[in-house]
């Protein structure tokens, strides 16, 4: 499934998982509290993103992650060229927000994934607050709203989406993310 990581069994992985289960068993209440907080933070991020105008797949979330559908998201740029998950994830990564592109129902190929996958475990473990989650959703909206899409021809002979964003928007978003990260206690 993952090139370069096949084979096994990997005994160090089995030992690490076994030790993790021991730690969870020893500190069960703390573990359960963190898991509940992850679910609450993810649900709150979903609510904030909806308020910012994003559509979420599967009606939202009841897990540690959510899927944003970029198909209906309005963008500026070349007519008929929608923002895809690849370009959106790359632009968000430039400002310090790491997400993954995700194939959604109706996507023809993974190369044209129309979704973004966001998770909240690490931010929750670091102690993110509701105000910081709301600010994160605002930054995501600001960045993706400023993308100007265009198409390019790639070697296999097909058109692909690309996007540009004003440098001042990137700089402002990067500073906003930095302020959130530096304010986290962990």
């Amino acid at each position: 499934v993952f090139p370069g990581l096949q084979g096994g069994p990997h005994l160090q992985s089995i030992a690490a998982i076994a030790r993790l289960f021991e730690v969870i068993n020893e500190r069960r209440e703390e573990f359960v509290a963190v898991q509940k907080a992850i679910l609450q933070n993810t649900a709150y991020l979903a609510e904030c993103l909806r308020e910012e105008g994003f559509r979420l797949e599967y009606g939202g979330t009841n897990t540690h992650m959510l899927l944003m559908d970029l198909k209906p998201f309005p963008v500026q740029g070349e007519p008929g060229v929608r923002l895809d998950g690849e370009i959106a994830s790359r632009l968000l990564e430039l400002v310090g927000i790491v997400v993954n592109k995700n194939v959604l129902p109706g996507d023809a190929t993974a190369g044209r994934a129309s979704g973004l996958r966001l998770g909240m475990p690490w931010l929750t473990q670091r102690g993110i607050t509701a105000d910081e989650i709301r600010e994160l959703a605002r930054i995501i909206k600001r960045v993706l709203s400023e993308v100007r899409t265009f198409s390019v021809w790639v070697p296999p002979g097909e058109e692909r989406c690309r996007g540009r964003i004003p440098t001042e928007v990137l700089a402002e978003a990067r500073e906003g993310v930095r302020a959130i990260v530096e304010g986290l206690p962990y």
Side-chain angles (χ1 to χ4, degrees):
V1 175
F2 301 103
L5 297 177
Q6 295 161 339
H10 298 148
L11 296 181
Q12 73 276 12
S13 298
I14 295 168
I17 292 169
R19 179 61 187 133
L20 174 65
F21 288 142
E22 287 176 349
V23 170
I24 290 170
N25 195 37
E26 292 165 4
R27 298 166 41 187
R28 181 167 173 68
E29 292 79 24
E30 182 182 344
F31 175 78
V32 170
V34 170
Q35 300 310 305
K36 286 181 180 178
I38 290 168
L39 295 178
Q40 291 169 347
N41 283 344
T42 307
Y44 187 65
L45 176 61
E47 178 185 323
C48 293
L49 289 170
R50 265 195 220 101
E51 289 173 5
E52 292 292 340
F54 291 102
R55 185 172 89 185
L56 303 180
E57 275 296 304
Y58 311 111
T61 182
N62 63 357
T63 68
H64 66 288
M65 65 176 197
L66 58 89
L67 296 175
M68 291 172 40
D69 185 354
L70 297 174
K71 287 188 292 284
F73 189 72
V75 293
Q76 306 168 42
E78 191 175 312
V81 180
R82 288 188 305 212
L83 180 63
D84 67 22
E86 178 70 27
I87 299 307
S89 66
R90 288 180 185 203
L91 290 171
L92 288 171
E93 192 167 317
L94 288 175
V95 302
I97 300 172
V98 179
V99 301
N100 296 102
K101 70 177 182 174
N102 205 93
V103 177
L104 299 178
D107 290 345
T109 69
R112 295 175 190 243
S114 63
L116 288 180
R117 185 173 68 244
L118 294 86
M120 290 299 288
W122 180 233
L123 289 174
T124 301
Q125 290 174 18
R126 291 202 56 196
I128 195 165
T129 66
D131 289 340
E132 292 164 334
I133 292 171
R134 181 165 296 285
E135 180 63 14
L136 187 63
R138 189 197 68 74
I139 292 169
I140 291 169
K141 167 74 180 272
R142 172 90 166 113
V143 169
L144 298 183
S145 294
E146 293 293 329
V147 176
R148 286 157 179 82
T149 60
F150 60 97
S151 61
V152 296
W153 287 95
V154 294
E158 59 185 33
E159 274 187 287
R160 290 285 175 94
C161 170
R162 295 294 181 257
R164 291 190 180 105
I165 187 168
T167 54
E168 62 272 6
V169 173
L170 282 175
E172 176 189 313
R174 190 176 297 124
E175 287 305 311
V177 170
R178 177 175 289 139
I180 291 171
V181 170
E182 288 176 352
L184 296 176
Y186 182 96

